[in-house]
Every structure is written in structure tokens, then in C-alpha cells.
Amino acid sequence: MKDQAHSEVEQVFYLEPTDDLPMIRELLSWSKARRVVLVVPPRSRELQNKVNLKLLQRYSVGLGKEVSLVTGDHLTRELAYEVGLPTFFLSLIHI
């Protein structure tokens, strides 16, 4: 995980493919920002699971945070939409 920008309003975290749900929850609890953006890498399997996404959504609501995902993975975006997590498309272009 890499912390890109820290502010009281919004914080962006770049997840690693190996980051699991407890690690992501720890990031959320550690962050002082009200809005948290998680950039999910293409090889991440942890957030391709509807149960994990629902747990993430509930945990973020409990903390009073707005969490959104940025990912190029169609399955992750579709499942996140189903549980109420905002998602944004990320296209990785290889040159």
C-alpha cells in the first residue's frame, strides 16, 4: 500500500495485489480523511468478492467515511455497485 495524498478531506491509497481485507480496514481506521479513494490493482482478488465488498462498505459507514474504488476490473466495479460503493474506471495503457 502506498499513501498518495494526505488531507483531512480526502486520501488516496494505492493498494497492493496482496493487501487483504483486514489491511484495508486498518487503512480506513488509520485515515483521518472523511473521503477515502482505494486504487485497486488489476491482480487484486480480495475485492472481487461481494461479501468482502459488503463488509468494507459497512465498515466505512460505521467509521463515517465515504469510500470509493478506482479499478479497471469489471467484476470488482459491478459487485461494488451492487453493494453501494462508488466506483471509477481505471484504464491501464501499456506502451
Side-chain angles (χ1 to χ4, degrees):
M1 168 280 313
K2 297 175 192 165
D3 176 8
Q4 177 63 24
H6 179 73
S7 73
E8 296 300 318
V9 177
E10 183 175 86
Q11 191 165 20
V12 178
F13 290 105
Y14 289 83
L15 301 180
E16 298 292 331
T18 56
D19 286 343
D20 59 7
L21 192 58
M23 174 64 172
I24 297 167
R25 287 175 56 158
E26 187 175 325
L27 291 174
L28 292 178
S29 65
W30 171 81
S31 174
K32 291 180 174 48
R34 189 174 67 79
R35 288 186 300 214
V36 177
V37 177
L38 301 175
V39 181
V40 183
R43 297 172 309 281
S44 177
R45 301 252 183 235
E46 193 70 9
L47 298 179
Q48 290 180 337
N49 176 305
K50 190 172 184 176
V51 172
N52 285 351
L53 287 166
K54 188 64 178 173
L55 290 170
L56 178 64
Q57 188 266 346
R58 286 182 181 170
Y59 188 73
S60 64
V61 168
L63 293 174
K65 298 186 183 294
E66 297 175 21
V67 173
S68 58
L69 305 179
V70 176
T71 181
D73 183 70
H74 176 74
L75 176 62
T76 302
R77 287 193 320 273
E78 184 178 305
L79 294 174
Y81 174 79
E82 290 177 16
V83 302
L85 282 171
T87 62
F88 301 93
F89 180 70
L90 173 68
S91 176
L92 299 176
I93 299 174
H94 297 282
I95 298 176

